[in-house]
Amino acid sequence: MPSVVVVGTQWGDEGKGKIVDYLAENADAVVRFQGGNNAGHTVVAGGKVFKLHLLPSGILYPDTLCVIGNDVVIDPKVLLEEMDELSAQGFRMDGLRISTRAHVIMPYHRMLDALQEKFKGDAKVGTTGRGIGPCYADAADRIGIRIVSLMDRDAFARELKAALSYKNILLEKVFGEKPLDFDVVYSEYCAYADRLRKYVCDTSTLVNSLLADGKRVLFEGAQAAMLDLSHGTYPYVTSSHPIAGAVCTGVGIGPKMVGKVVGVVKAYSTRVGEGPFPTELLDATGDRIREIAHEYGATTGRPRRTGWLDACVLRYASRINGLDLIALTRLDILDEFPEVRLCVAYKHNGEIIDHFPASLRELSEVEPVYETFPGWLSRTDGIRSYADLPVNCRRYIERVAELCSARVGIVSVGAGRDETIFANDIW
């Protein structure tokens, strides 16, 4: 089956954008299957840095079809701004397709996102404030507005009036905010609809047709396994399912249409926002990793929390995603460290455990059990063959792969497309 799913195995920011961009060169289509513009994929191509939030990471290739699936929540203003920015740089948008069934982020979603976070105080989740969670909540509550309705002015007017009759009460009576004006919102979003109309289609039919024709289809997830709504560190999670199984519901294909699953693994760990992080380094080493790697959010600019790689997380992510291969990224960040540590288990109440607990209380109490590897203390960014990597470096990589129960597919030693080592066949 010529299809590949790329997922994050940690808390996001593993470098999925680069890996998808790299694989997209040989793909016929790249399909984004969940999330919204709370995700940011950074791609470096031709010496330029591109930060993508809604557009699939294959958009930089002119002949690659780029599909936004039905479980992506779309802020049309953000999408159009992103399209305009890339178009101004000479990139074509004619290969973009948007699902009729995707839900639309409305102004009240963004407002309620910020207001609800403020209301939670110290218990806040640490969302990006982009309205993602409230939009998914409306979809589950069956009061959401989909792209198919946005394209129909009468249907949109009817659904927007119904939504505002409820949302304005929340804004006024609960949060003391001014209500949203129907005419203003309606006019603004109809203008967005007119610009996006030519890109909208039944993307499930499209993708199934591509797969039936033997085309190479690359499925791209946002965020990562530990932020999955069902399987992550709840409630410090995203509002969708960024795991491989969500491709089926997020695009509208059957499980038998999924080929290989590639898990992107950062050579160390980071996370943004609140929530448990057993290997977090609150010391000079953590600060050094952050500064060498410029670990600041692509969407928010927030400094990321840093720590050593956690194999308890990786084993869990491998199991719930069914990983075939890993793409190890940002290996070059560790080039300067005299030793590199890898958490292989936890100690809890004197007992060694190798699984990732569901309980946040238990996670807050665990003590990482580390294996320590001698560093390689040499630059890897110029290396293009796996065999040419330093021996100590390969030992670390192979131990990570062993703990994931997967093969090494790609090793990334820099941000650029050329700074990539192809270890095993992906397609």
Side-chain angles (χ1 to χ4, degrees):
M1 178 66 62
S3 67
V4 172
V5 184
V6 177
V7 293
T9 58
Q10 295 150 288
W11 284 277
D13 309 309
E14 298 95 348
K16 295 181 297 299
K18 177 196 168 165
I19 300 303
V20 173
D21 172 73
Y22 181 76
L23 294 174
E25 184 177 11
N26 295 308
D28 295 297
V30 177
V31 184
R32 169 83 177 270
F33 63 87
Q34 49 74 225
N37 59 300
N38 55 337
H41 286 175
T42 301
V43 176
V44 178
K48 293 183 177 180
V49 177
F50 301 91
K51 292 183 184 288
L52 306 174
H53 302 282
L54 280 169
L55 291 171
S57 296
I59 198 69
L60 305 182
Y61 291 99
D63 298 322
T64 301
L65 199 63
C66 288
V67 180
I68 298 177
N70 55 270
D71 268 0
V72 178
V73 290
I74 299 173
D75 187 325
K77 181 176 186 291
V78 172
L79 177 58
L80 286 164
E81 287 174 350
E82 197 168 328
M83 292 168 63
D84 289 343
E85 184 178 345
L86 286 180
S87 296
Q89 298 178 66
F91 292 97
R92 288 162 37 194
M93 296 296 116
D94 50 321
L96 178 65
R97 300 292 183 271
I98 301 168
S99 174
T100 50
R101 291 176 168 85
H103 279 254
V104 182
I105 294 176
M106 304 299 295
Y108 46 79
H109 291 135
R110 294 191 297 271
M111 294 175 69
L112 289 169
D113 199 350
L115 291 166
Q116 289 166 359
E117 278 286 273
K118 183 179 179 181
F119 176 80
K120 292 172 184 175
D122 292 340
K124 68 181 185 299
V125 175
T127 76
T128 59
R130 266 64 175 179
I132 311 302
C135 186
Y136 277 115
D138 277 4
D141 205 22
R142 294 173 292 278
I143 56 171
I145 297 174
R146 299 186 299 168
I147 289 289
V148 67
S149 295
L150 183 64
M151 296 299 118
D152 180 333
R153 291 198 170 207
D154 290 339
F156 179 50
R158 184 172 61 254
E159 293 179 20
L160 179 60
K161 284 178 181 176
L164 286 179
S165 68
Y166 172 54
K167 299 299 181 180
N168 277 340
I169 291 175
L170 279 179
L171 291 171
E172 287 186 277
K173 305 300 183 184
V174 177
F175 294 107
E177 296 288 325
K178 293 181 179 179
L180 290 167
D181 182 86
F182 168 83
D183 291 330
V184 171
V185 176
Y186 181 74
S187 176
E188 177 187 354
Y189 274 70
C190 283
Y192 297 149
D194 290 341
R195 291 194 60 195
L196 292 173
R197 194 177 309 279
K198 66 179 180 180
Y199 304 104
V200 173
C201 70
D202 183 336
T203 54
S204 172
T205 298
L206 170 64
V207 174
N208 276 278
S209 177
L210 291 169
L211 290 168
D213 290 342
K215 301 296 184 182
R216 288 184 169 184
V217 179
L218 187 60
F219 296 103
E220 173 187 27
Q223 291 99 20
M226 303 314 299
L227 295 176
D228 184 271
L229 181 61
S230 296
H231 300 283
T233 50
Y234 188 88
Y236 302 104
V237 293
T238 193
S239 303
S240 59
H241 299 285
I243 58 173
V247 168
C248 298
T249 54
V251 180
I253 62 169
K256 293 180 180 179
M257 305 300 279
V258 177
K260 292 177 183 174
V261 180
V262 177
V264 185
V265 179
K266 189 182 283 187
Y268 50 94
S269 297
T270 62
R271 81 169 298 173
V272 172
E274 310 299 323
F277 187 3
T279 64
E280 184 171 12
L281 293 169
L282 300 171
D283 58 13
T285 300
D287 292 340
R288 188 179 179 200
I289 291 174
R290 183 183 302 105
E291 294 310 310
I292 292 173
H294 305 291
E295 287 289 357
Y296 297 89
T299 297
T300 64
R302 291 183 292 184
R304 296 177 184 137
R305 300 156 64 190
T306 58
W308 294 118
L309 191 56
D310 188 335
C312 294
V313 167
L314 297 183
R315 274 191 292 262
Y316 180 55
S318 181
R319 173 163 56 84
I320 63 176
N321 283 288
L323 297 186
D324 295 298
L325 301 107
I326 64 169
L328 190 73
T329 61
R330 312 226 72 184
L331 182 69
D332 53 304
I333 301 303
L334 302 180
D335 288 351
E336 301 177 12
F337 289 82
E339 66 177 32
V340 176
R341 307 186 82 188
L342 173 62
C343 172
V344 295
Y346 300 141
K347 183 183 288 187
H348 184 252
N349 292 335
E351 178 186 357
I352 299 298
I353 60 175
D354 63 2
H355 64 276
F356 193 80
S359 166
L360 297 191
R361 178 190 57 77
E362 189 173 344
L363 277 172
S364 70
E365 296 170 349
V366 299
E367 177 185 344
V369 177
Y370 287 108
E371 288 182 4
T372 301
F373 297 77
W376 39 98
L377 296 175
S378 59
R379 294 185 61 169
T380 58
D381 57 348
I383 296 175
R384 298 294 177 267
S385 167
Y386 187 79
D388 291 338
L389 287 169
V391 172
N392 288 345
C393 182
R394 294 202 305 273
R395 286 174 179 160
Y396 177 68
I397 295 169
E398 286 155 16
R399 180 60 171 147
V400 171
E402 179 186 19
L403 292 166
C404 288
S405 301
R407 294 179 299 137
V408 181
I410 291 174
V411 178
S412 174
V413 291
R417 287 173 175 169
D418 61 321
E419 295 174 308
T420 309
I421 297 168
F422 200 60
N424 277 293
D425 183 48
I426 301 292
W427 289 107

